[in-house]
Amino acid sequence: MMKKSILLVMISVLPLAQAASGNPAVDTLLDQYRAAGAASFTAEAGQHLWNKKHQHTVAPLERSCNLCHTSNLTHNGQHVKTQKRIKPMAPGINTKRLTDTRKIEKWFMRNCKWTLGRECSPQEKGDFLLYILQ
Amino acid sequence: MKIYQKLLALAVITATSSLLFSAIVYGDDDEDQWKFRWLEQSKLDVAPVNSPLYRQECGSCHFAYQPGLLPNNSWQTIMAGLEDHFGDNAEFDAETQKIVLDYLLLNSADKSNYKRSKRIVGSLKEGKIPLSISDTLYFKHKHDEIPARYVTGNKEVGSYSRCAACHRRAESGSYNEDEVNIPGVGRWDD
C-alpha cells in the first residue's frame, strides 16, 4: 500500500520534472504547446525536422532549416538569398537565443511558412525548441 | 596680395550666407537641431537609419535600406505584402508593422532633403510605384556602366540588393562613388 502510493506520487510528478527545461522562455512556450494538445517533446524529433527537406515550386525548390542555419547549431548560418550572416542558434554560443517568446514565435511563423509551406504545429515547435536548446 | 584677401572675403561671405540660408530653410525645425541637420545633410547622401526597431525587424535578413531610398507609395506597397517579400516570408505582428511603416513613411524619399533621396524622387515615373530601389530610374542610371559579371555574376555580391557589398559605407547612408570597392574587382572608377 505504502509502496503503491509512493509510486503514484512519482508518476504524477514525472511530467512536471520533464516540463522544466531550465530556460524560462522555452518552458513558457512548451506549456502553451501542451495546452494546445501537443504531447511530450524530444530533441531527436526536432533534429529530424531541422534537416528534413521540403519541396517547393519556386526557387529554392528544396528547402530545409539547415539550408540557412546549417546542421550544426553552434555554427554561423547564412541567408540563402541575401547572404546575410545568421548568428549561431545554440544558446550556449549565442546567449540571446531562446530568451524572448515573442521573437521565437515571430521566427517560427516566418520560417515555417517559408520552409514547410505552412505554420508549424505546437508539437513541431516544441521539438524544435528542445533540439535548439540542447 | 589684395586679390587673395578679396577672394578670402568672398569665401567667408559665401559660407556665412549659405549657413544663414540653411537656417531659414530649416527654421521650422527645433532650434537646436538645424545646425546638426545642416552639417549632416551636407555630408551624406541619404539619412542614416535611426530606428533600432526597423533595424531589428528588417535588417536581420537583409541590409537595412534607408527609408529615404524609396518614396511613400513604395514603402506602403512593400509593407502590405510581407507574406511574399521578394520570395521570402517577412511577416510580423500588426502592432510592430504599424510602427515600422510609420517610421518608413515619416522618413521616405519624398520627405527627405538629402541629395540622393531628392534625385530618386526626381527620377520617378508618373503612376509607377517602384517595388525596389533597383527599380528606380536613378538607381539604374547610376549603375548602368557596371558589367553584370561584377554584380549578379560575382559570387561575393550576387545581387544589386546587397548595397553594402560594394558601397563600403552604405550602412551610414553614404553611397559616394569613391567608397565603392567591388569584391574581387576593387575600386570602381568610371
Side-chain angles (χ1 to χ4, degrees):
Chain A
M1 190 63 196
M2 186 68 177
K3 266 189 180 173
K4 227 178 188 178
S5 58
I6 288 172
L7 195 70
L8 273 174
V9 167
M10 277 176 71
I11 287 167
S12 62
V13 163
L14 203 62
L16 288 174
Q18 263 189 344
S21 69
N23 175 313
V26 170
D27 284 343
T28 305
L29 288 174
L30 291 183
D31 281 344
Q32 286 175 19
Y33 301 154
R34 274 189 209 98
S40 60
F41 309 103
T42 68
E44 291 73 30
Q47 183 174 22
H48 176 74
L49 279 169
W50 188 263
N51 297 305
K52 192 178 173 190
K53 293 183 169 76
H54 305 270
Q55 306 305 318
H56 288 261
T57 49
V58 286
L61 299 177
E62 211 171 63
R63 302 179 189 178
S64 54
C65 305
N66 65 17
L67 183 64
C68 296
H69 290 290
T70 84
S71 290
N72 187 330
L73 300 176
T74 65
H75 286 179
N76 276 318
Q78 193 185 40
H79 192 285
V80 69
K81 196 163 178 183
T82 67
Q83 297 185 28
K84 187 139 185 161
R85 191 172 70 110
I86 304 168
K87 289 177 189 155
M89 293 304 294
I93 305 279
N94 180 359
T95 52
K96 281 187 179 170
R97 292 292 185 209
L98 306 187
T99 54
D100 182 338
T101 56
R102 277 182 69 169
K103 253 191 190 172
I104 296 169
E105 288 291 6
K106 179 183 82 179
W107 286 107
F108 269 145
M109 167 79 93
R110 286 182 180 178
N111 293 349
C112 287
K113 280 192 175 181
W114 186 82
T115 313
L116 284 75
R118 58 168 173 83
E119 284 188 48
C120 288
S121 67
Q123 180 68 51
E124 289 167 327
K125 291 199 269 192
D127 291 336
F128 274 133
L129 289 183
L130 284 197
Y131 169 57
I132 297 167
L133 196 60
Q134 45 150 234
Chain B
M1 197 61 187
K2 265 193 172 175
I3 186 84
Y4 288 119
Q5 284 173 339
K6 273 185 188 168
L7 278 171
L8 185 69
L10 190 69
V12 168
I13 289 164
T14 315
T16 317
S17 55
S18 60
L19 263 170
L20 277 172
F21 178 70
S22 51
I24 294 158
V25 168
Y26 300 115
D28 289 343
D29 295 328
D30 287 342
E31 278 295 312
D32 52 339
Q33 273 199 4
W34 74 262
K35 263 189 211 166
F36 175 69
R37 286 188 64 175
W38 179 80
L39 279 168
E40 200 176 51
Q41 298 192 4
S42 63
K43 271 193 298 189
L44 294 168
D45 301 333
V46 292
V49 170
N50 61 3
S51 157
L53 184 73
Y54 171 74
R55 201 180 284 283
Q56 178 190 299
E57 293 303 329
C58 305
S60 43
C61 292
H62 58 67
F63 173 74
Y65 306 103
Q66 287 85 9
L69 290 170
L70 281 174
N72 254 25
N73 51 17
S74 293
W75 289 126
Q76 268 163 337
T77 312
I78 290 167
M79 290 296 288
L82 289 178
E83 200 164 328
D84 182 4
H85 185 64
F86 302 94
D88 208 341
N89 186 301
E91 284 176 81
F92 49 104
D93 66 282
E95 195 187 320
T96 316
Q97 265 190 48
K98 168 91 173 65
I99 303 171
V100 169
L101 180 62
D102 285 349
Y103 167 70
L104 289 168
L105 298 185
L106 199 68
N107 296 281
S108 66
D110 320 77
K111 314 244 174 56
S112 177
N113 283 311
Y114 283 71
K115 183 173 83 179
R116 300 213 196 261
S117 297
K118 283 177 155 179
R119 291 186 184 160
I120 285 166
V121 172
S123 82
L124 296 174
K125 272 191 191 167
E126 188 82 33
K128 282 211 170 174
I129 302 173
L131 294 181
S132 67
I133 298 145
S134 50
D135 250 4
T136 63
L137 282 180
Y138 178 70
F139 181 97
K140 286 179 184 165
H141 166 69
K142 279 289 174 187
H143 295 85
D144 63 357
E145 284 176 10
I146 301 161
R149 66 177 189 280
Y150 287 1
V151 182
T152 45
N154 184 342
K155 259 195 172 176
E156 289 176 80
V157 183
S159 162
Y160 280 102
S161 62
R162 297 188 57 231
C163 309
C166 304
H167 294 273
R168 300 307 171 95
R169 291 189 61 236
E171 198 77 47
S172 67
S174 175
Y175 291 87
N176 196 311
E177 200 173 316
D178 298 338
E179 295 156 5
V180 171
N181 195 326
I182 306 171
V185 178
R187 295 200 170 275
W188 173 256
D189 200 8
D190 69 353

